[in-house]
Coordinates of all heavy atoms in Angstrom, one line a residue:
M1 N -85.6 -25.4 69.3 CA -84.8 -24.7 70.4 C -83.9 -25.6 71.1 O -82.8 -25.3 71.3 CB -85.9 -24.2 71.3 CG -85.3 -23.6 72.6 SD -84.1 -22.3 72.3 CE -85.2 -21.0 72.6
L2 N -84.2 -26.9 71.4 CA -83.4 -27.9 72.0 C -82.2 -28.2 71.3 O -81.0 -28.2 71.8 CB -84.2 -29.1 72.3 CG -83.4 -30.3 72.9 CD1 -82.7 -29.8 74.3 CD2 -84.4 -31.5 73.2
R3 N -82.3 -28.4 69.9 CA -81.2 -28.8 69.1 C -80.1 -27.6 69.1 O -78.9 -27.7 69.3 CB -81.4 -29.2 67.7 CG -80.3 -29.4 66.7 CD -80.7 -29.9 65.4 NE -81.4 -31.1 65.6 CZ -82.3 -31.6 64.6 NH1 -82.6 -30.8 63.7 NH2 -82.9 -32.8 64.8
G4 N -80.6 -26.3 68.9 CA -79.8 -25.2 68.9 C -79.1 -25.0 70.2 O -78.0 -24.7 70.3
A5 N -79.8 -25.1 71.4 CA -79.2 -24.9 72.7 C -78.1 -25.9 73.0 O -77.0 -25.6 73.4 CB -80.3 -24.9 73.8
R6 N -78.4 -27.1 72.6 CA -77.4 -28.2 72.7 C -76.2 -28.0 71.9 O -75.1 -28.1 72.3 CB -78.0 -29.5 72.4 CG -77.2 -30.7 72.6 CD -77.9 -32.1 72.1 NE -78.5 -32.1 70.8 CZ -77.6 -32.3 69.8 NH1 -76.4 -32.5 69.9 NH2 -78.3 -32.4 68.6
G7 N -76.4 -27.5 70.7 CA -75.4 -27.3 69.8 C -74.4 -26.2 70.3 O -73.2 -26.2 70.2
L8 N -75.0 -25.2 70.8 CA -74.3 -23.9 71.2 C -73.4 -24.3 72.4 O -72.3 -23.7 72.6 CB -75.2 -22.8 71.6 CG -75.9 -22.0 70.6 CD1 -76.9 -21.0 71.1 CD2 -74.9 -21.3 69.7
R9 N -73.7 -25.3 73.2 CA -72.9 -25.8 74.3 C -72.0 -26.9 73.9 O -71.4 -27.4 74.8 CB -73.9 -26.0 75.4 CG -74.5 -24.8 76.1 CD -75.8 -25.0 76.8 NE -76.2 -23.8 77.2 CZ -76.8 -22.8 76.4 NH1 -77.0 -23.0 75.2 NH2 -77.3 -21.7 77.0
G10 N -72.1 -27.2 72.7 CA -71.2 -28.4 72.2 C -71.4 -29.8 72.8 O -70.6 -30.6 72.9
M11 N -72.8 -29.9 73.2 CA -73.1 -31.2 73.7 C -73.7 -32.1 72.6 O -74.5 -31.7 71.8 CB -74.1 -31.0 74.8 CG -73.8 -30.3 76.1 SD -75.0 -30.2 77.3 CE -74.8 -31.9 78.1
T12 N -73.3 -33.3 72.7 CA -73.9 -34.4 71.9 C -75.2 -34.9 72.5 O -75.5 -34.5 73.7 CB -73.0 -35.6 71.7 OG1 -72.9 -36.3 73.0 CG2 -71.7 -35.3 71.1
Q13 N -76.0 -35.4 71.7 CA -77.4 -35.9 72.2 C -77.0 -36.9 73.3 O -77.8 -37.0 74.3 CB -78.1 -36.7 71.1 CG -78.8 -35.8 70.1 CD -79.6 -36.5 69.0 OE1 -79.6 -37.7 68.9 NE2 -80.4 -35.6 68.3
A14 N -76.0 -37.8 73.0 CA -75.7 -38.8 74.1 C -75.3 -38.2 75.4 O -75.7 -38.7 76.6 CB -74.6 -39.7 73.6
R15 N -74.5 -37.1 75.3 CA -74.0 -36.5 76.6 C -75.2 -35.8 77.4 O -75.3 -35.9 78.6 CB -72.9 -35.6 76.3 CG -72.4 -34.9 77.4 CD -71.0 -34.0 77.1 NE -70.9 -33.0 78.0 CZ -70.4 -31.8 77.7 NH1 -70.1 -31.5 76.6 NH2 -70.3 -30.9 78.7
L16 N -76.0 -35.3 76.6 CA -77.3 -34.6 77.1 C -78.2 -35.6 77.8 O -78.6 -35.5 79.0 CB -78.0 -33.7 76.2 CG -79.2 -33.0 76.7 CD1 -79.0 -32.2 77.9 CD2 -80.0 -32.2 75.5
A17 N -78.4 -36.8 77.1 CA -79.1 -37.8 77.6 C -78.6 -38.3 79.0 O -79.4 -38.5 79.9 CB -79.2 -38.9 76.6
V18 N -77.4 -38.5 79.1 CA -76.7 -38.9 80.4 C -76.9 -37.9 81.4 O -77.3 -38.2 82.5 CB -75.2 -39.3 80.1 CG1 -74.5 -39.4 81.4 CG2 -75.1 -40.5 79.2
A19 N -76.7 -36.6 81.1 CA -76.9 -35.6 82.0 C -78.2 -35.5 82.6 O -78.4 -35.0 83.9 CB -76.4 -34.2 81.3
I20 N -79.3 -35.8 81.9 CA -80.7 -35.6 82.4 C -81.3 -37.0 82.7 O -82.5 -37.1 83.1 CB -81.6 -34.8 81.5 CG1 -81.9 -35.5 80.1 CG2 -81.0 -33.4 81.3 CD1 -83.0 -34.8 79.3
G21 N -80.6 -38.0 82.5 CA -81.0 -39.3 82.8 C -82.1 -40.1 81.9 O -83.1 -40.6 82.4
V22 N -82.0 -39.8 80.7 CA -83.0 -40.4 79.7 C -82.2 -41.0 78.5 O -81.0 -40.9 78.5 CB -83.9 -39.3 79.1 CG1 -84.8 -38.7 80.0 CG2 -83.2 -38.3 78.1
H23 N -82.8 -41.8 77.8 CA -82.2 -42.6 76.7 C -82.0 -41.6 75.5 O -82.8 -40.5 75.4 CB -83.1 -43.7 76.2 CG -82.4 -44.7 75.3 ND1 -82.2 -44.4 73.9 CD2 -81.7 -45.8 75.5 CE1 -81.5 -45.4 73.4 NE2 -81.2 -46.3 74.3
V24 N -81.0 -41.8 74.7 CA -80.6 -40.8 73.6 C -81.8 -40.6 72.6 O -82.1 -39.7 72.1 CB -79.3 -41.2 73.0 CG1 -79.3 -42.5 72.2 CG2 -78.7 -40.1 72.1
T25 N -82.5 -41.7 72.5 CA -83.6 -41.7 71.6 C -84.6 -40.7 72.0 O -85.3 -40.0 71.1 CB -84.4 -43.1 71.6 OG1 -83.4 -44.1 71.2 CG2 -85.6 -43.2 70.6
N26 N -84.8 -40.5 73.3 CA -85.7 -39.4 73.8 C -85.3 -38.0 73.4 O -86.2 -37.3 72.9 CB -86.0 -39.4 75.3 CG -86.6 -40.7 75.9 OD1 -86.8 -41.6 75.0 ND2 -86.7 -40.9 77.1
I27 N -84.0 -37.8 73.4 CA -83.5 -36.4 73.0 C -83.8 -36.3 71.5 O -84.2 -35.2 71.1 CB -82.0 -36.4 73.3 CG1 -81.7 -36.6 74.8 CG2 -81.4 -35.0 72.8 CD1 -82.2 -35.6 75.7
S28 N -83.4 -37.2 70.7 CA -83.7 -37.2 69.2 C -85.2 -36.8 69.0 O -85.4 -36.1 68.1 CB -83.3 -38.5 68.6 OG -83.5 -38.5 67.2
E29 N -86.0 -37.6 69.7 CA -87.4 -37.4 69.4 C -87.9 -36.0 69.7 O -88.8 -35.5 69.1 CB -88.2 -38.5 70.0 CG -88.1 -39.9 69.4 CD -88.7 -41.0 70.0 OE1 -89.3 -40.9 71.2 OE2 -88.8 -42.1 69.5
M30 N -87.4 -35.6 71.0 CA -87.7 -34.1 71.4 C -87.3 -33.2 70.4 O -88.0 -32.2 70.1 CB -87.2 -33.9 72.8 CG -88.0 -34.6 73.9 SD -87.4 -34.1 75.5 CE -86.0 -35.2 75.7
E31 N -86.1 -33.3 69.8 CA -85.6 -32.4 68.9 C -86.3 -32.4 67.6 O -86.5 -31.4 67.0 CB -84.1 -32.6 68.6 CG -83.2 -32.3 69.7 CD -81.7 -32.6 69.4 OE1 -81.3 -33.0 68.3 OE2 -80.9 -32.1 70.2
R32 N -86.8 -33.5 67.2 CA -87.7 -33.6 65.9 C -89.2 -33.3 66.1 O -90.0 -33.4 65.2 CB -87.5 -35.0 65.3 CG -85.9 -35.2 64.8 CD -85.8 -36.5 64.2 NE -85.9 -37.6 65.2 CZ -86.4 -38.8 65.1 NH1 -87.0 -39.1 63.9 NH2 -86.4 -39.7 66.0
G33 N -89.6 -33.0 67.3 CA -90.9 -32.7 67.7 C -91.9 -33.9 67.7 O -93.1 -33.8 67.8
L34 N -91.2 -35.2 67.9 CA -92.0 -36.3 68.0 C -92.4 -36.7 69.4 O -93.2 -37.5 69.7 CB -91.3 -37.5 67.4 CG -90.8 -37.4 65.9 CD1 -90.0 -38.5 65.4 CD2 -92.1 -37.2 65.1
R35 N -91.7 -36.2 70.4 CA -92.0 -36.4 71.8 C -92.2 -35.0 72.5 O -91.4 -34.1 72.3 CB -90.7 -37.1 72.4 CG -90.9 -37.4 73.9 CD -89.7 -38.2 74.5 NE -89.6 -39.5 73.9 CZ -90.2 -40.6 74.5 NH1 -90.8 -40.5 75.5 NH2 -90.0 -41.7 73.9
P36 N -93.3 -34.9 73.1 CA -93.5 -33.5 73.7 C -92.5 -33.3 75.0 O -92.1 -34.4 75.5 CB -94.9 -33.7 74.2 CG -95.4 -35.0 74.4 CD -94.4 -35.7 73.3
I37 N -92.2 -32.1 75.3 CA -91.5 -31.8 76.3 C -92.4 -31.2 77.4 O -92.9 -30.0 77.3 CB -90.3 -30.7 76.0 CG1 -89.4 -31.3 74.9 CG2 -89.5 -30.3 77.2 CD1 -88.5 -30.3 74.3
G38 N -92.5 -31.9 78.5 CA -93.4 -31.5 79.5 C -92.6 -30.5 80.6 O -91.5 -30.4 80.4
K39 N -93.3 -30.1 81.5 CA -92.7 -29.0 82.4 C -91.4 -29.7 83.1 O -90.4 -29.1 83.4 CB -93.7 -28.6 83.4 CG -93.2 -27.4 84.3 CD -94.3 -26.9 85.1 CE -93.8 -25.7 86.0 NZ -94.9 -25.1 86.7
E40 N -91.6 -30.8 83.7 CA -90.5 -31.4 84.4 C -89.3 -31.8 83.5 O -88.2 -31.6 84.0 CB -91.0 -32.8 85.1 CG -92.0 -32.5 86.3 CD -91.5 -31.5 87.3 OE1 -90.4 -31.6 87.7 OE2 -92.3 -30.5 87.6
M41 N -89.6 -32.3 82.3 CA -88.5 -32.5 81.4 C -87.8 -31.2 81.0 O -86.7 -31.1 80.9 CB -89.0 -33.2 80.2 CG -87.8 -33.6 79.2 SD -86.5 -34.4 79.8 CE -87.4 -36.1 80.1
A42 N -88.6 -30.1 80.9 CA -88.1 -28.9 80.5 C -87.2 -28.4 81.5 O -86.1 -27.7 81.3 CB -89.2 -27.8 80.2
K43 N -87.5 -28.6 82.8 CA -86.7 -28.2 84.0 C -85.4 -29.0 83.9 O -84.3 -28.3 84.3 CB -87.4 -28.3 85.2 CG -88.4 -27.4 85.4 CD -89.3 -27.3 86.7 CE -90.2 -26.4 86.9 NZ -90.9 -26.5 88.2
R44 N -85.4 -30.2 83.6 CA -84.2 -31.0 83.6 C -83.2 -30.5 82.4 O -82.1 -30.5 82.6 CB -84.5 -32.6 83.4 CG -85.2 -33.1 84.7 CD -86.0 -34.4 84.5 NE -85.1 -35.5 84.1 CZ -85.5 -36.7 83.8 NH1 -86.8 -37.0 83.9 NH2 -84.8 -37.7 83.5
L45 N -83.8 -30.3 81.3 CA -83.1 -29.8 80.1 C -82.5 -28.4 80.5 O -81.3 -28.2 80.2 CB -83.9 -29.7 78.9 CG -84.5 -31.0 78.3 CD1 -85.6 -30.8 77.3 CD2 -83.3 -31.7 77.7
A46 N -83.3 -27.6 81.1 CA -82.8 -26.2 81.4 C -81.6 -26.2 82.3 O -80.7 -25.5 82.2 CB -83.9 -25.4 82.0
K47 N -81.7 -27.1 83.4 CA -80.6 -27.2 84.3 C -79.4 -27.7 83.6 O -78.2 -27.2 83.8 CB -80.9 -28.2 85.4 CG -80.0 -28.3 86.5 CD -80.4 -29.1 87.7 CE -79.2 -29.2 88.7 NZ -79.7 -30.1 89.8
A48 N -79.4 -28.8 82.7 CA -78.3 -29.3 82.0 C -77.7 -28.3 81.0 O -76.5 -28.2 80.8 CB -78.7 -30.7 81.3
L49 N -78.6 -27.4 80.5 CA -78.2 -26.5 79.4 C -78.0 -25.1 79.9 O -77.8 -24.2 79.0 CB -79.2 -26.5 78.2 CG -79.2 -27.9 77.5 CD1 -80.3 -28.0 76.5 CD2 -77.8 -28.1 76.8
D50 N -78.2 -24.9 81.2 CA -78.1 -23.5 81.8 C -79.0 -22.5 81.1 O -78.5 -21.5 80.5 CB -76.7 -23.0 81.8 CG -76.4 -22.0 82.7 OD1 -77.2 -21.8 83.6 OD2 -75.5 -21.2 82.4
M51 N -80.2 -22.8 81.0 CA -81.2 -21.9 80.3 C -82.4 -21.9 81.2 O -82.7 -22.7 82.0 CB -81.6 -22.5 78.9 CG -80.5 -22.5 77.9 SD -81.0 -23.0 76.4 CE -82.3 -21.8 75.9
P52 N -83.3 -20.9 80.9 CA -84.6 -20.9 81.5 C -85.5 -22.1 81.0 O -85.6 -22.2 79.9 CB -85.3 -19.6 81.3 CG -84.3 -18.9 80.3 CD -83.2 -19.7 80.2
Y53 N -86.2 -22.7 82.0 CA -87.0 -24.0 81.5 C -88.1 -23.5 80.5 O -88.5 -24.3 79.7 CB -87.6 -24.7 82.7 CG -88.7 -24.2 83.3 CD1 -90.1 -24.6 82.9 CD2 -88.7 -23.2 84.3 CE1 -91.2 -24.1 83.5 CE2 -89.8 -22.7 85.0 CZ -91.0 -23.1 84.6 OH -92.2 -22.7 85.1
K54 N -88.6 -22.4 80.6 CA -89.7 -21.9 79.9 C -89.3 -21.9 78.3 O -90.2 -21.9 77.4 CB -90.3 -20.7 80.2 CG -91.0 -20.7 81.6 CD -91.8 -19.5 82.0 CE -92.4 -19.7 83.3 NZ -93.2 -18.5 83.7
A55 N -88.1 -21.9 78.0 CA -87.5 -21.8 76.6 C -88.0 -23.1 76.0 O -87.9 -23.2 74.8 CB -86.1 -21.6 76.6
F56 N -88.1 -24.2 76.7 CA -88.4 -25.5 76.1 C -90.0 -25.9 76.1 O -90.3 -26.8 75.5 CB -87.7 -26.5 76.8 CG -86.2 -26.4 76.8 CD1 -85.4 -26.0 77.8 CD2 -85.5 -26.6 75.5 CE1 -84.1 -25.7 77.9 CE2 -84.1 -26.4 75.5 CZ -83.5 -25.9 76.6
L57 N -90.8 -24.9 76.5 CA -92.2 -25.2 76.6 C -92.9 -24.6 75.4 O -92.5 -23.8 74.9 CB -92.8 -24.7 77.9 CG -92.3 -25.4 79.2 CD1 -92.9 -24.8 80.4 CD2 -92.7 -26.9 79.1

């Protein structure tokens, strides 16, 4: 879901990482399912990608 939402908005992993204040490695790991996305992170992603946060949980 994260990779698709990011792609639809034309955002790179690096740009999204800056927008939510994390290292680009975190974005990569979340997209590959290696790092869980908690509620607070989901809210940060949702704000940056203009989506409901529950889409990332």
Side-chain angles (χ1 to χ4, degrees):
M1 175 57 100
L2 176 55
R3 181 178 292 157
R6 182 179 59 76
L8 286 174
R9 283 150 185 82
M11 292 183 85
T12 64
Q13 288 182 346
R15 185 170 154 212
L16 179 57
V18 169
I20 67 169
V22 299
H23 194 275
V24 69
T25 303
N26 292 0
I27 301 297
S28 175
E29 290 175 351
M30 286 186 273
E31 287 185 354
R32 293 182 289 139
L34 301 176
R35 179 179 294 267
I37 300 174
K39 187 174 182 179
E40 292 307 312
M41 182 58 68
K43 288 181 178 183
R44 289 162 67 182
L45 290 166
K47 184 176 179 181
L49 296 170
D50 192 30
M51 293 182 65
Y53 81 91
K54 290 184 179 181
F56 300 108
L57 296 177

